[in-house]
Amino acid sequence: MKILILGAGGREYSIARAILNESETHELFFQPGNGATNNLGTNLDIKDYNNLATFAIENEIELTIVGPEAPLVDGVVDIFKAKGLNIFGPSREAAQLEGSKVYMKNFLAKYNIPTARYIETASIEDAFKFTDTLTAPIVVKADGLCGGKGVIIAQNHDEAKIAISEMLSGKSFGDAGLKVIVEEFLDGYELSMFAVCDGDDYILLQAAQDHKKLLDGDKGPNTGGMGAYAPTPLVDEKLYQKVKDRIIKPTLEGMKKESAPFEGVLFIGIMVVNGEPITLEFNVRFGDPECEILMPLMTSSVSDMFLKAATNRLSEIKVEFSKQYAVGVVMASENYPYKSSKPAEIILDDVLHVDIEQNTHISFGGVSQEDGVLYADGGRVLVCVGLGDTIKQARDRAYLRCGQVHFAGKKIRTDIAYQAL
Ligand code: AMP
Ligand code: GLY
């Protein structure tokens, strides 16, 4: 099959890798891709979505898979569908579940889906008044997309009010902050769950745990994610069932009622509080680095799952998962997440140990390539993934692989999966 993948990260690399593992006859294209995806297929440079759709038609692309949220919120799926192309991802309208936190929270409230108590407002007085009803810490969120930086966990009321003022005045996030959510702080443990949806049906993948803080012990600033593992033993059958009944089913039914049936990946950020799953947020795409560990755990065809989801035929297939665990450790560049770093040459040792060779791999994200040499050229550079029969074995293998990757300033967390061990 000829497949086009939109995006440039380790997430997109891992999807491509899984597709090529099922059959090397697939032909892959990336828009824009990164310095390593051109080893898996052809990188394009076609920014305009109409032109990209024309490329897809002329080159008989059978399926397009959208990785990141920005093209979804911009309506790339609507453009491709209007031209009769198969594309996996939500429509522009359905992408509002991630594109606008106000849309998402109001949707959750309307369909009685559990979420933190909140107010949604553009009024500083109302926001302050609601803040005074909460006990600290207090959570303040900008409405629009802020590249993962739009959530402030304020430790006291004054801090919360400063965050509210700076958002509403446009100072901190421009237009994305002109409406805010103020909500109660949920104290529990966090999970990432992913449902692949076709508008009517869904397939729930294994629950994962991400590590959002930069440093060991969940210290330091928030990042896009420094490592992840799956499946997590923190979820049992009962919890899966609650998530299906209370969150996924009503969301799919609700979106149909809103005339925006949800197709694509519904990424549910969950806080488990006293055994009950509460929705923190929705994203409308795979998590990164969660995708990098979920893709290698799928033993049935990944491309077929995306194609069936894109054509409303998920009920026709059965998706199968490996019995193993996967742990992914992100290697970030020197100045991440504060500012960009100078490109640094990546040196990959030959993997001589058979066990490591067979049970680990690398998904490349923020890399560029020049004359066959790879450079660390982004915040999160790559993910070392280890597979194993236990979480510990998978993690040990992932860290051994990390030891064989070198670039100036490389940064990793050394405690990925600690909550499960
Ligand atoms: P969000 O983008 O809404 O997922 O928020 C980013 C991160 O902030 C989440 O992954 C949580 O770690 C944290 N967070 C968001 N909302 C809450 C909340 N109501 N209570 C506790 N932590 C939260
Ligand atoms: N790893 C979290 C995210 O992709 O948003």
Side-chain angles (χ1 to χ4, degrees):
M1 189 161 43
K2 280 184 163 186
I3 300 172
L4 168 63
I5 299 176
L6 269 58
R11 168 179 50 206
E12 290 74 22
Y13 186 98
S14 72
I15 292 172
R17 184 182 172 278
I19 290 173
L20 290 177
N21 272 351
E22 68 190 44
S23 162
E24 287 183 4
T25 61
H26 292 305
E27 194 182 341
L28 303 184
F29 297 85
F30 300 89
Q31 170 54 41
N34 62 42
T37 55
N38 52 8
N39 298 332
L40 307 179
T42 308
N43 285 354
L44 306 175
D45 181 15
I46 308 173
K47 293 189 185 69
D48 180 85
Y49 298 138
N50 280 298
N51 294 344
L52 195 60
T54 303
F55 171 89
I57 293 165
E58 286 173 355
N59 290 276
E60 298 174 335
I61 301 286
E62 289 157 83
L63 173 66
T64 298
I65 300 167
V66 189
E69 63 277 17
L72 297 167
V73 171
D74 288 345
V76 70
V77 168
D78 309 64
I79 292 171
F80 271 54
K81 284 207 165 155
K83 295 186 195 282
L85 290 159
N86 293 328
I87 182 164
F88 176 71
S91 66
R92 180 189 185 127
E93 175 71 22
Q96 287 304 301
L97 282 180
E98 174 165 359
S100 163
K101 288 194 191 291
V102 168
Y103 179 98
M104 183 245 320
K105 291 293 284 192
N106 289 344
F107 174 85
L108 292 172
K110 180 168 173 187
Y111 292 98
N112 286 317
I113 299 167
T115 190
R117 201 160 62 83
Y118 73 104
I119 187 177
E120 157 267 294
T121 183
S123 145
I124 197 160
E125 290 80 26
D126 291 351
F128 281 11
K129 225 192 273 167
F130 186 75
T131 301
D132 288 330
T133 70
L134 299 174
T135 41
I138 292 158
V139 185
V140 182
K141 303 183 176 184
D143 177 32
L145 292 179
C146 302
K149 299 191 175 66
V151 175
I152 307 286
I153 314 275
Q155 293 309 319
N156 54 54
H157 290 78
D158 287 344
E159 232 180 72
K161 288 178 180 173
I162 292 169
I164 291 166
S165 311
E166 291 188 345
M167 282 186 198
L168 288 179
S169 67
K171 185 172 159 201
S172 36
F173 302 111
D175 285 354
L178 295 182
K179 261 193 174 181
V180 295
I181 305 277
V182 182
E183 70 181 27
E184 65 178 343
F185 179 80
L186 299 172
D187 198 5
Y189 60 90
E190 220 173 317
L191 300 171
S192 306
M193 292 232 210
F194 299 88
V196 172
C197 307
D198 72 359
D200 296 305
D201 295 302
Y202 68 91
I203 288 165
L204 185 58
L205 307 188
Q206 291 147 305
Q209 239 189 344
D210 186 15
H211 299 67
K212 290 214 165 84
K213 301 282 183 188
L214 180 70
L215 305 173
D216 284 8
D218 292 325
K219 304 247 157 53
N222 258 328
T223 69
M226 291 299 290
Y229 71 96
T232 168
L234 299 173
V235 183
D236 57 13
E237 269 316 308
K238 243 165 93 186
L239 191 58
Y240 273 118
Q241 200 56 46
K242 285 180 187 171
V243 171
K244 290 178 186 173
D245 294 343
R246 297 182 194 169
I247 302 176
I248 302 175
K249 264 209 216 131
T251 297
L252 291 186
E253 281 162 17
M255 290 303 279
K256 276 204 277 192
K257 288 192 189 132
E258 300 295 317
S259 303
F262 192 87
E263 298 176 25
V265 184
L266 183 68
F267 168 175
I268 313 154
I270 292 169
M271 190 73 88
V272 182
V273 184
N274 302 322
E276 304 301 325
I278 316 280
T279 315
L280 277 180
E281 63 159 350
F282 284 136
N283 294 303
V284 299
R285 46 153 180 102
F286 273 116
D288 190 341
E290 290 96 324
C291 189
E292 285 93 317
I293 51 154
L294 290 172
M295 287 299 116
L297 289 174
M298 301 202 60
T299 49
S300 50
S301 165
V302 167
S303 63
D304 194 45
M305 176 178 74
F306 291 137
L307 180 65
K308 291 293 191 304
T311 50
N312 200 247
R313 291 184 294 157
L314 268 187
S315 61
E316 291 174 16
I317 58 165
K318 207 170 162 330
V319 167
E320 277 155 21
F321 307 102
S322 138
K323 298 239 167 349
Q324 288 197 302
Y325 294 87
V327 174
V329 179
V330 170
M331 277 197 183
S333 56
E334 187 171 11
N335 301 322
Y336 183 72
Y338 303 105
K339 55 184 175 115
S340 58
S341 314
K342 266 209 311 248
E345 182 177 344
I346 300 174
I347 294 165
L348 302 170
D349 292 346
D350 289 333
V351 182
L352 300 175
H353 200 301
V354 179
D355 182 68
I356 299 307
E357 207 242 340
Q358 289 177 347
N359 294 294
T360 69
H361 63 267
I362 298 174
S363 271
F364 294 94
V367 299
S368 58
Q369 195 179 140
E370 223 171 282
D371 302 327
V373 178
L374 275 183
Y375 290 85
D377 197 9
R380 291 184 297 164
V381 176
L382 55 85
V383 184
C384 288
V385 179
L387 295 165
D389 296 332
T390 62
I391 293 176
K392 178 157 188 326
Q393 187 181 45
R395 164 172 144 149
D396 288 347
R397 285 171 171 160
Y399 278 113
L400 282 171
R401 189 65 188 257
C402 286
Q404 305 199 294
V405 179
H406 315 277
F407 56 88
K410 80 171 186 186
K411 263 204 310 233
I412 62 170
R413 263 181 78 156
T414 66
D415 65 347
I416 300 307
Y418 77 92
Q419 289 193 60
L421 291 172

